[in-house]
Amino acid sequence: MSASDGVVDEGLVSRLRRGELAAIGEAYDAHARAVMGFARRLVGEESAAQDLTHEVFLTLPSAVRGFEERSSLRTFLLSIAVNHARHHVRAASRRRAVMDELGHLPENRGTTPEQEAMRVDLARELTRALDALPLEQRVAFVLCEVEELSAREAGEVAGCPEATMRTRLFHAKRKLREELEARGVR
Amino acid sequence: MSDDLLSRAAGALRSSAEPSSEELRETRMRVMASLRRTRQRRVRVVTVVLPLAAVLATSLAWAGATGRLSKAVEAVREMFVAGTSEKQADLPPPLPSMSTTESPSAVPSEAPSEAPSAVASAVASAVPSTMPNAPSAGPSILAIAPLPKVVVEDAAVAVDARDADLEAYKKAHQLHFVAHDDAGALQAWDAYLAAFPNGTFAAEARYNRALCLLRLGRTLEARAALQPFADGKVAGGYRRQEAQALLDTLDAGP
């Protein structure tokens, strides 16, 4: 996904500013998949990602008044998601910690094709490792490495300069390597 | 640890977290319903609350201009004072302390002698005898009545139920993940779900139960148990992808 997808639709933005319900529906149809996908990768949990997406589009009518149209509407929506993510990330990470404590092991080894199981495990381990990062570094990693945005685009979403984004990404990767190593992922 | 692993992990996360059309549709409905509710609330404020506020403001301005405001304020104050003293007179004798041994003579002298002391004694008797006594500063109308026994007991029951819920889950979990006793675990999951159909871990228990059925070769039952997960109908899509993958594997045959 690129943040420049879904170039600003000026008509849509002005209708959003007027608070038209239909315009919010249109914005949802155009961008919800990207927002929810990002939310899920950032939070690491489906239901929390749905809640975050719900919050993003609920906030949109008031937030869009501050939208200066220097970036795409999608970038703007992702930035709202980042701003609202903190408590969802914290709650989801707490739930994962409880599950870890109870020794909740991966279930599907031996019942799904091996490659699929390995991929799912790897994603799960990464989500757990992401829980150890501060939110800013987590956002930087998910935006740059998972969503594959450039540092400039990621900076637009997170509301920070490109250089700051690069620094956060550098630290995030270093910590993630350590975390994954500690978890025995090779 | 190489960068390759990190980028493979990022790739795995990327491909494993695409939302389904059903989730998107559900969330869309939630968003639109919430927005409609917010709008209705705003309309109610504009059509009801604002006109009422305007009428009040106009009335105050008019009363101020015609010199009736001070009279009105005085009347309201009198009403309020009278109301308070009447209320005080109607009150049952205040609870002087949380102690059940306090003598009835602690009732303030301004309270009528026929005050319904039964109410106070009923509340006082609901206090567990182990409750510490309140500081004996004498009777006060602001004395806080202790929680009725029923509330205290309800809270204790809720805590017990939560503990029992966790204990039952741990037991089944032990059989499933540590002892790898599929038949025993299945029984334990069934027992958990029978005792706590809406328990804290009901979704996990249902999923793990389906896995036990699968491992025991009871594929028809396993399929039926997994289907709601694959349909995203359990706990907002809990284990949806995994359940679908398992069903696909079952469909593909041995």
Side-chain angles (χ1 to χ4, degrees):
Chain A
M1 184 199 72
S2 154
S4 53
D5 287 351
V7 177
V8 177
D9 177 343
E10 285 173 18
L12 179 60
V13 172
S14 51
R15 285 168 56 218
L16 283 171
R17 288 207 174 104
R18 287 199 297 270
E20 284 182 27
L21 269 185
I24 298 166
E26 277 176 42
Y28 184 94
D29 293 339
H31 303 293
R33 186 172 289 277
V35 173
M36 196 183 286
F38 167 67
R40 192 182 282 184
R41 291 182 273 269
L42 182 64
V43 178
E45 204 178 75
E46 291 172 19
S47 53
Q50 284 180 2
D51 289 345
L52 179 52
T53 308
H54 174 252
E55 233 171 277
V56 167
F57 284 94
L58 219 54
T59 321
L60 181 59
S62 55
V64 79
R65 288 182 209 131
F67 179 42
E68 292 170 357
E69 299 185 42
R70 283 200 294 250
S71 59
S72 70
L73 184 56
R74 181 169 301 180
T75 302
F76 180 66
L77 289 166
L78 294 184
S79 70
I80 300 177
V82 167
N83 288 332
H84 284 78
R86 189 173 293 276
H87 94 263
H88 291 286
V89 168
R90 201 177 297 156
S93 136
R94 250 198 313 263
R95 280 192 289 272
R96 279 190 287 271
V98 168
M99 282 303 169
D100 278 351
E101 221 166 89
L102 284 169
H104 211 280
L105 306 173
E107 313 284 357
N108 297 328
R109 261 186 245 272
T111 47
T112 54
E114 194 175 338
Q115 277 189 334
E116 171 67 8
M118 277 173 63
R119 192 182 59 78
V120 170
D121 283 353
L122 196 53
R124 192 178 295 150
E125 288 297 340
L126 178 60
T127 301
R128 297 280 203 281
L130 283 168
D131 287 345
L133 300 188
L135 184 65
E136 289 75 19
Q137 290 176 18
R138 182 184 188 121
V139 167
F141 184 82
V142 173
L143 286 173
C144 296
E145 295 296 309
V146 184
E147 302 290 319
E148 297 182 304
L149 299 189
S150 69
R152 186 185 58 76
E153 290 167 329
E156 277 176 16
V157 172
C160 69
E162 186 179 338
T164 308
M165 184 50 68
R166 284 186 200 285
T167 311
R168 286 179 186 173
L169 180 61
F170 171 78
H171 289 295
K173 282 170 129 179
R174 185 174 50 78
K175 280 189 198 159
L176 282 175
R177 274 188 220 107
E178 289 169 8
E179 273 296 317
L180 289 173
E181 208 159 309
R183 293 178 154 269
V185 181
R186 289 177 201 288
Chain B
M1 169 74 48
S2 64
D3 261 355
D4 177 49
L5 175 66
L6 210 50
S7 48
R8 265 195 299 123
L13 185 58
R14 192 180 312 127
S15 59
S16 69
E18 275 306 316
S20 69
S21 308
E22 198 175 323
E23 282 173 285
L24 289 167
R25 207 171 33 244
E26 262 174 36
T27 310
R28 188 185 204 280
M29 281 163 61
R30 268 176 70 194
V31 169
M32 300 315 272
S34 303
L35 286 168
R36 273 192 207 104
R37 269 200 305 275
T38 311
R39 192 146 300 185
Q40 280 165 358
R41 257 201 308 272
R42 206 171 300 150
V43 168
R44 214 172 301 141
V45 167
V46 171
T47 55
V48 178
V49 180
L50 286 184
L52 279 177
V55 168
L56 182 66
T58 313
S59 308
L60 284 174
W62 174 79
T66 55
R68 295 176 191 204
L69 186 58
S70 55
K71 281 181 196 164
V73 169
E74 194 54 42
V76 169
R77 188 183 299 149
E78 273 170 22
M79 226 164 63
F80 178 74
V81 171
T84 311
S85 52
E86 265 171 35
K87 241 185 220 167
Q88 283 182 356
D90 287 346
L91 274 176
L95 298 172
S97 76
M98 288 186 176
S99 167
T100 53
T101 56
E102 194 79 47
S103 90
S105 64
V107 177
S109 58
E110 64 268 26
S113 57
E114 66 275 21
S117 57
V119 177
S121 62
V123 176
S125 68
V127 184
S129 56
T130 51
M131 278 273 228
N133 286 349
S136 56
S140 157
I141 199 114
L142 295 175
I144 298 166
L147 279 177
K149 200 172 187 173
V150 180
V151 173
V152 176
E153 280 176 357
D154 279 355
V157 166
V159 170
D160 285 349
R162 235 187 356 252
D163 287 350
D165 178 339
L166 184 61
E167 277 311 308
Y169 183 81
K170 273 184 181 167
K171 187 183 163 195
H173 197 275
Q174 164 80 13
L175 286 165
H176 188 138
F177 293 101
V178 182
H180 299 290
D181 172 4
D182 292 331
L186 179 61
Q187 274 185 357
W189 291 127
D190 280 336
Y192 175 89
L193 288 167
F196 308 101
N198 299 309
T200 317
F201 303 103
E204 286 88 347
R206 283 178 61 189
Y207 183 76
N208 292 337
R209 179 181 175 276
L211 293 182
C212 289
L213 289 168
L214 201 61
R215 287 179 188 147
L216 290 167
R218 291 160 63 173
T219 47
L220 272 180
E221 290 167 85
R223 197 185 286 274
L226 285 168
Q227 196 60 56
F229 288 92
D231 294 341
K233 288 178 182 162
V234 182
Y238 174 76
R239 298 272 180 192
R240 191 175 51 78
Q241 286 171 340
E242 288 95 334
Q244 189 55 60
L246 288 169
L247 286 173
D248 291 346
T249 311
L250 283 172
D251 287 340

